[in-house]
Amino acid sequence: MKGIKYIVTAMLLLTMAGCDDSYLDMTNKFGSNTDTFYKTKSDFDAAVAGVYNSLYISGGSVFAEEHITASLLDDTMLGGGGPDDQGAKNVDSFVDPSDDTYRDLWVETYNGIFRANLIIEKLEEVDLSKEFPSEAAAEAYKNNILGEMYFMRGFLLFRAAKFFGGMPLITSTVTPRDLPRASFSETFGQIAADLKMATDLMPRVDPASIPLGEYGHANLWVAQAYLARVYLFYTGYMTNIEGQSTTAFTLPDGGTISKEQVVSLLTDCVNNSGYALVSDFRNLWPYSYVNEAAGSDVYPWAAQEGLKWAGQDGFNGTIGTGNTEVMFALRYTFADWGWSIGQRTTNRAPLFMGLRGNSSLTPFGEGWGWCTIHSDFFSQWADNDPRKRGSVLQAGLADEGMSGYSGDKGDHETGLFNKKYLHLEFDDGSGMKGLFNYIYGWPNTDMQLRHAQDFYYLRFADVLLMLSELTEDAQYMNQVRARAGLDPIAYSLDALKRERMYELAFEGLRWFDLVRWGDVNDPSKNYFDNAIPVGNSGSTATYQVNYRPETKGLVSIPETEIRLSNGVYQQNPGW
Amino acid sequence: MKELYKKVSYAVLALWLCSSMAFGQGRTVTGTIVDENGQPLPGVNVLVKGSTSGTVTDANGVYSLGGVTDNTTLVISFIGYLSEEIVVGPRSVVDVNMKPDVTSLDEVVVIGYGEQKKALVTGANIRQDGSKLQGLNTSSAMEALQGITPGVSVSRNNGQPGAGTRIRIRGIGTIGNSNPLYIVDGVPVGNDINYLAPSDIESIDVLKDAASAAIYGSRGANGVVLVTTRKGKKGAKPQISYNGFYGVQNIYKKPAALNAQEYMFIMDEGLANDALAVTDWENVLKANHWANNPANVGGVNNLGTTYGEYVWNKLQSGWKGTDWVDEITQKDAPIQSHSFNITGASEDLIYGAGFSYLDQAGIIGGDIIDAGLKRITARLNTELNLVEINGRKIFKLGENFTFTNSQNRGTGTGNIYWNDLHDALVVNPLTPAYWELSPNEYGFGPTLEGISLGQTNPVATMFYRHNFNWGKGNNMVGNVYGELEPIENLRLRSSFGVNSWWGWGRSFAPAYALSSQFQRQADARSIGQSSYQGANTTWTNTLSYERTFGDHNIAVMVGNEQVRNDVLNFNLSGTRMNPLYNDPDYAFLDNTSPPSSQAQVNASGRDYAANAGGLMSYMGRASYNYQEKYMLDVTMRRDGSGYFLPHKRYGNFFSVAGGWNFTEEDFAANLSFLDFGKLRASWGQNGNQDIGAFQYQTNVEALGQGYYFGGDKLTSALTYIPRNMPNPDVGWETSEQINIGLDAGLLNNKISVTFDWYQKLTKDWLVQAPIQGTAGAVAPPINGGDVKNSGIEIALGWRDQIGDFKYGVTLTGATVKNEVVRLANAEGVINGDAHILSQGTSFVSRVEVGKPIGHFYGFKTAGILQNQAEVDAYVGPEGLPMQFPDGGTEGLNAIRPGDVRYVDQNNDGIIDDADKVMLGNPIPDFELGIQLNASWKGIYANVTMSGKFGHQVMQSYRSFSDQFDQNYTTAIFGRWHGEGTSDRLPRLSSVSHRNQRFISDIYMHDADYLRINNLTVGYDFGTFASRLGWFKAAQVYMTVNNLYTFTKYDGMDPEVTWGGSDNMQWASGIDLGLYPLPRTVMVGVNLTF
C-alpha cells in the first residue's frame, strides 16, 4: 500500500512536470510601448513624424480632408461629381443626413493630440545630453521639438475647431477623455496658447538653411503666421457671427494675447523669416513642370508662357527652381491599395477634382469631377489677372488641350476646374503615367494613387495679405498684386477681400474667410444663392450653392461621438 | 485489499470454467457474421455464454469455435451492434446477421482527454462515424456534417474548392472569433480541419454543452470538435481498403444577367424615366479612345472604331451579347478522389495508414486559369506495447501523424472589388469575351470605353488576377505519446503534439493592356516570392484512475497542458520589378534587373512566434456512477494566457453534470415500449481569450507608411505612433451554459430520441467597443458585454425492417435565439462597414443591445408609390410632402410615381437616419436535417437533406449607387414601370437616387431553404465479393451532391455566410454574387482487400 502511495505521488509530480509558466510573459518584438519608447533622439524624431502622420486622415473619409470639405462648403465651388456622389452635393448644399460625415476629422484630431501630448510629457522626463555635444545643444533640440509639438497640437485643434466650433480640450495624456466640449472662446484660447508657446520655444531658423531631408517641419515663422490666421478667424467669428466684438484671445491661464502681439509676431515673420514670393504665381503649381518632365511640350500653353515650376520641396528642392513661398504644406505622396491606410497618403484633391469621364485630354487626367467652379465667380474675374488662367482650367480651350472635352459625364458641370490641384498625366513614350510617376519613378500608375502633390497650407502671399488686413496697410497686399503684374491699389477691406479671393482661390481658405468676415450672411458678398446653369450628367439644370445661417458656419458634430459621450456633447445649432 | 480482489476474481473465473467444463467436450461450430448490409464483420466476439471460451471472427467474418453442444448459447457481440444470443441447437453452421445498435449503449465516445461509455455521458455530445462522413463524398469532412448534427450550424463559405465551412455551435457568442476549437488526436489545430481527407477520419465528436467542453476551459466557449483519425481495432487483421470516385461538377443555378438587347433597353429606360436622351449605342460602341490611339495598340489606326463597328455589326445580325457567367464557368468540371487505408493490429501493435489524393477543378475559372484544389494526404498512426510485466501491458508508445500537401488556385470571392462572379454579373454584355483583332496576346476583348472605363472584360480580369500565381502549402499535424500503467487502471499519459505548416508562393505580374484603365506597362512588371513556416506545440500530461467499489464506479483524471507558440514561425516575402525574362516560368526574384530605386523592391520578414506566449492549463475531472444508473461528473480547468497581465492571467472554469438512466429503475420494467431512457442536466463555464497580444499596454509601433519629410516621396521618415489605448485589466471572457437533455430508445429501439434545451450566456464578452474619439488611439478590447443564445435541439430516429427491405429515417432540428444583452459603452451599438452593397451606401449589419448580433439595419419600406394620388398622399404629420435631406426633393429627386414609400418611423415628416430600424436577421431561427436510408438485398440508397429557416439575406448584384452602366439580372423585369407593375422594386433611374441608394428592405429576401445535399444509390456485393477471393467487400455507388434546393430565394444560393468584409466575422448573409455550390454527379467504388 505504501508503494502505491509513492507511485501515485511520483506520477502526480510527473503530470505536473513542466509547470513553469514563464513562457506566458510575452515580449513585443515588433513594437515598443509607452514605457520602453521615447528614450532617444531617434525615438523622438520618429514620434514627431507620428504626429505629422495624423495630417493624413487614417479613417479615410474624404470629408475629413479640410481642403476638400472647405472647397465644397465655400461659394466659389459647387458639389459636382457623379450621380453617386451625393455626399459632395450634401456638403455643398449644407445638409447632412448621415450621422458621421465628419467623424474621421474629429477622431484624427485627437489621435494627433494624444501623440503630441505623449511627446511633450516624455521630453520632460528624458535626458538626451549624451547624444549631443553639449547640454545646451540637447536643450535646444528639446525646445525645438517641444515648440513643434505645441504648434502641432494647436494646428490640429484649429483644423477641427474651425469646422466644429468648441472642442473638448485634451491637454495631457491623463486628461479625462469624457470632458464636455469647451466653449468657442476657450477652444481658441487653447489653440492660441499652444501657438504662442511654439513661437516662444522655437529658434529663428533661416528657411534657406533647412536641409532638403528635413523639409516639411513647422518652424517659428509658420507658428507666427498661424497665430495670425487663428486670430483673424477667432476675432472675426466672435465679432461677425456671434455678434460679440472681440479683439484678443483669452488664454486658459487667464492671460490674453492682443492684436498688437499678433501683429508684431507677423511683422517679424514678414520682415525676417526669409520667405519670399516666387516670381510667377503660376510657377507654384505642377502644371508648370509638365513639359520639363516630359521632355517635350505636351502642354503648349505652359511652354508659350515660359513657366518653370518652383517645386514643392522648399528652398533647396532638387526638382524645380526652389520654392521660397510655401511655408507649410501637407506632404503628400503616392499610395497603394495594399497599404493599411490605402489611399490616404496621396492627395485626393487632384483626383476628386479631376475631369470626370474624360481620359484623353493630355496633360489633364481623369478624376471624379468634384468641386466644379462657379461660373459667376469665374466670369467676374478680370481676364487681365494672370491668376485667372493660372487657377482655372476652362473646357473647350484649344491651347489647353481641352477641345475634345465632353461635359456630359458629371454633375454640376460648368466646364471650369481647379487647375491648382488637378490630375496631370502624359505619355513620354513609355506609356501613359501621372506627372509624379515620372518625377519620382513610382511604378504604380493607378490613376487614383499617383497624386504626390503637396497641399499648401500656408504661402507667404497669405502672410502678406494677413498683415495688410491686420494693419490696414496696402503695401503688403500690393506686393502680392505686383507679383501678378497688377497695379498697386489703396487699402480697403473690400479690396483686401477680393485679393484674397483671387490669390488664394481653391486653396481651402475662402470658406473660413467668408465665415469670419460674416460675409456668409450677406448675399451681396458671396456667390451663394447665385443660380447658374449646370450640366447634370448630360441634362441641364440650374443650381445654387447653399448656406444656412442658423448653422453659424459650423458643421455637424458626429452623432456617434454625441452618443458615445452619453449626450454630454451638444449638437451644433442648425443640425 | 488488492490481494482480496485478486482472490475473488480467480474464484469467479474458476466457477465459470467449471460450469462450462461440466457440459464436457462438444463439437465445433462455424459461421459467417455479417453486418446489416451483408458485409462480413471481422473482429466480432463469439463467446460461449457463461464461460470464458470464445473466439473472434477473421477478416472474412468467419469464426470457428470448438467445445459446443446443442445447449450452448453463443453470445455474439461487437461494438456498435446489438449483442445476439443464439442457442446452437443441432446446427454446425451458425451464420449471424448483426443489427446495428441504434442507441449504441456500449459505444464509447471521445470526451476531453479520454473516452467514456456513451450510456454514461451526461453532456450534449454528438458523435459521427467517419465512414458515414466519407460516404457523403464531400471534399472536406466538416461539409459532411451539414444536416446531420443538430445544434452545429454548418455553412459552406462558398462553392470554391477548399473554401471551407463556417461552423457555429449553438449560436454566435462573440463578435470576434466564433470558430469552435478543433482537436485532432489531442492536438489543437487552428480554425478548421480542411487539411484532413474525410477518409482519414475515424470519428468526429462535437462537444456542444459547456459541461463537456469545460475540460478545454479557455478555448471551449464556441464548442469543441474532437477528431480521431483512423487506426486498427484490437485483434483486427490487416485490412486494406480503397475508395475512389470520379465526378463532374456544374453550376447549379445560374443567375441570368441581361443579354445585349435587354441591357440596352433597361439602360435606356432609366434615362427615359429621367427625361434624358436615350443612348446612341452605335456611337457609344465606337468611342474607344484608347484603342484608337495607334501608340497603344501596336501601331494600328482606329482600332477602337473598328472594334465598335465589329460589335455593332454583330448586334445587327442578332447577336445576343456575351453571357459572362457562361464564359467564366467550366462545364463538367472534374472532381476525383482516391483514398487508400490500411488498418490492423497484432498482439503488440495497432496501426493505421492512409493516403489520399483529391483533385477538384473549380467551376469558375477551372479551364481558364486552372482553378482548383489538389490535395495529397498521408497518415501513419501506430501504437506499440513496449513493456509487459506479468501479462499486463504497462507501457505503450504511440504516434499519429498526418501530412498534407495542397495546391489551391482560387478566384476572387470577396467584396465587390474582388469577386469574379460579381464582375461577370455586372459587366455589360456588349463586350465580346474574345476578338480576333484584339491587341491582347490572348485575344481578350478590350474594354468598351464608351460605356464605361471601368467595365473591363471579366475573363481577362480573372485571368490577370489569378493565372500567374502559384502556391503550395503543407501541414504536418500529429503527436507522440507514451502511456504508463504501473498499477491496473492507473494511467500516466504524456503526449507531445505539434501542429506545423509551411509553404511557398510565387507570382508574376505580366504586362497587358486592354484599355486606358486596365493595363500594366512593361516597366511595372514584377516578380514575387514568399515562403512561410510555423509550428506550435502542445504538451499534455494526464493521470487517470478508475475503480469500482461494489455498485460505485469512479474515474478521476488530473492533468497539465502547455500550448506554446514560440516554437518556429517564419515568414518572408519579396517582390522586385524588372523581370529579366518575360516568362512566368522564370518568375524568381533573382531573375530581375538590379533595382534602380527603392520603389522597385519590396521585402518583408517576420517571425510571428517571436513574442512567445501560449497557454498553461491544469485540469481535473471526477466521474461517479452508481450501478450505471446515476451519474455525476465534475470538471475544473485553470488556464493561464499570455494575453493577460499576471493579475488577470488565470481563469478558472468549472462544470457539473448529472445523468439518470431511468430505464434501469424498477418502475421502468413495466414500460415495455421503452428500451432505454436517460435524463441529463449540466451547467458549465468556458472561456475565451482570443484578443491578440499586448492589449494591456499602449503599444508604440512603426508605421509602414509614415510621414514624408524631405524630398523623397518613395520612402517615408521613420514614424512611430501609439497604436492603441491600453486595458491593463482585460481578462477572460466566460460563457455559462445550462443544458437539459433526454435520450431514449423505444419500441425495440426502432425509435431513438435525443432532446436538448440549452441557454448559453456569454459574460464579460471580449469586445472592442467603440470609444470616444478624444481617446487618441484605437479602442482596446474590454470585457464589455453579454450575449445570450438559447435553443432546443431534437434528433428523432426511426428504423425498421420489412423482410429484406430495411429503412431508416432521422430527423434533426435545432433552434437558436441570439440576443445581445449588454454592451458596455454609452452607445450600445457597433456598426458594420459601409459601402458593402454598393459603393456610396451606408452600413448594413449592426450589433445592438436587445437584438441579434449582425442583424440587418436600414429603412423599412411600404411598397411603391403607384400614382400621383399616392405621391400626394405621401406626407408627414403636418400634411407637408415627405422630406428627404439626403438628396432633397428637387429636380430628378422630386417624389413621383414609381418611388419607394419609405416608412417615417418617428413620424416627423423627414426620412433620415432616425428612421432606420432592424430589418431582418441573417441567423436562421431553425435548422433542419433529414436523413433517409433504405436497402434491399444489396441495393442501398441514402438521402441527406438540410434546411435553414427564418433568416434573411441582403442581396446586391450590382453597384447600384455609383455604377449605373452595370448590368442587371433578369430580376429587374419585376421593376415598377407603370401603375400596378410592382410594389417592391422602384422605377429605374439614370442617377443615384434614394430609391436605390438607401439601404432598405427592398434588398432583403427571405432565404428559407431545404436542400438535398446528398443522394447516393449503390450496390453492395456482400458475401459475393468475398467469394471472388481477392477482395473481401465491394460496393459501387453513384452520388449526387447538391441535387436540389427548395427555396423561394432568387439568388444563386440561399446559404450565405459572407458578411461583406473580412473585418466583420460577426456579420453574415450578404450576397454580392457568391461563388455557387456546384452540383456534382459522381460514381465511385469501395473495395476492401
Side-chain angles (χ1 to χ4, degrees), chain A residues 358-494:
Chain A
N358 282 268
S359 65
S360 53
L361 298 169
T362 305
F364 299 106
E366 200 190 346
W368 308 147
W370 284 30
C371 300
T372 49
I373 289 164
H374 200 288
S375 47
D376 282 359
F377 161 71
F378 179 74
S379 60
Q380 287 167 25
W381 195 341
D383 286 336
N384 70 343
D385 184 345
R387 294 174 300 189
K388 183 176 183 181
R389 271 195 76 176
S391 305
V392 180
L393 175 66
Q394 204 178 346
L397 283 193
D399 62 349
E400 295 276 25
M402 288 290 283
S403 48
Y405 173 81
S406 49
D408 57 350
K409 307 292 186 192
D411 294 348
H412 299 175
E413 212 277 340
T414 58
L416 303 169
F417 300 93
N418 175 5
K419 209 179 194 178
K420 292 178 172 176
Y421 293 99
L422 202 57
H423 179 191
L424 296 162
E425 65 172 15
F426 56 85
D427 183 349
D428 73 345
S430 68
M432 184 66 82
K433 296 173 192 168
L435 168 66
F436 295 96
N437 286 116
Y438 288 112
I439 295 180
Y440 297 105
W442 180 256
N444 188 342
T445 59
D446 187 316
M447 57 86 91
Q448 297 196 46
L449 304 173
R450 61 192 189 189
H451 307 286
Q453 180 186 356
D454 286 1
F455 172 70
Y456 298 156
Y457 282 126
L458 180 69
R459 294 198 277 123
F460 190 64
D462 190 6
V463 173
L464 293 170
L465 291 170
M466 286 195 289
L467 191 57
S468 264
E469 188 173 352
L470 283 164
T471 58
E472 305 188 8
D473 177 343
Q475 63 159 313
Y476 309 107
M477 176 173 81
N478 282 332
Q479 290 179 40
V480 175
R481 285 180 61 82
R483 190 258 300 265
L486 301 171
D487 297 335
I489 52 173
Y491 181 83
S492 73
L493 185 56
D494 281 344

Side-chain angles (χ1 to χ4, degrees), chain B residues 768-879:
Chain B
Q768 201 178 0
I771 49 172
Q772 284 184 256
T774 46
V778 300
I782 55 171
N783 294 107
D786 300 337
V787 187
K788 194 166 82 180
N789 280 284
S790 58
I792 56 171
E793 294 155 3
I794 299 174
L796 290 174
W798 167 264
R799 59 191 310 142
D800 199 7
Q801 180 169 359
I802 305 162
D804 283 334
F805 181 72
K806 298 170 199 168
Y807 67 98
V809 182
T810 308
L811 292 176
T812 61
T815 66
V816 172
K817 186 171 182 292
N818 177 285
E819 187 189 344
V820 177
V821 181
R822 180 175 73 92
L823 199 54
N825 68 355
E827 201 185 12
V829 163
I830 297 171
N831 291 333
D833 295 350
H835 312 295
I836 297 289
L837 294 188
S838 163
Q839 187 68 39
T841 58
S842 186
F843 67 90
V844 185
S845 306
R846 184 174 171 108
V847 179
E848 186 182 350
V849 173
K851 308 263 167 60
I853 287 181
H855 65 270
F856 299 133
Y857 185 78
F859 293 102
K860 265 214 157 47
T861 64
I864 302 293
L865 299 169
Q866 295 294 337
N867 49 43
Q868 193 56 43
E870 291 190 23
V871 170
D872 296 341
Y874 187 38
V875 293
E878 319 277 311

Side-chain angles (χ1 to χ4, degrees), chain B residues 9-25:
Chain B
S9 308
Y10 284 136
V12 171
L13 235 157
L15 268 170
W16 281 343
L17 283 171
C18 294
S19 60
S20 78
M21 297 291 266
F23 292 97
Q25 358 284 179

Side-chain angles (χ1 to χ4, degrees), chain A residues 18 21 32 84 331-333 433, chain B residues 523 562 650 700 710 713 961:
Chain A
D21 70 354
S32 306
D84 60 314
R331 304 285 286 156
Y332 277 120
T333 180
K433 296 173 192 168
Chain B
D523 55 2
Q562 299 175 35
Y650 279 91
V700 182
K713 293 283 191 192
S961 187

Side-chain angles (χ1 to χ4, degrees), chain B residues 64 76 175 206 262 351 486 492 503 715 850 863 898 929 1066:
Chain B
S64 172
I76 295 152
I175 60 168
V206 183
E262 293 164 344
Y351 57 89
L492 172 68
T715 331
W1066 47 269

Side-chain angles (χ1 to χ4, degrees), chain B residues 213-221 637-639 653 685-688 732:
Chain B
I215 196 74
Y216 287 102
S218 62
R219 294 165 301 162
R637 174 143 172 159
R638 179 171 168 78
D639 272 334
F653 307 96
Q685 294 176 319
N686 299 118
N688 177 21
W732 290 92

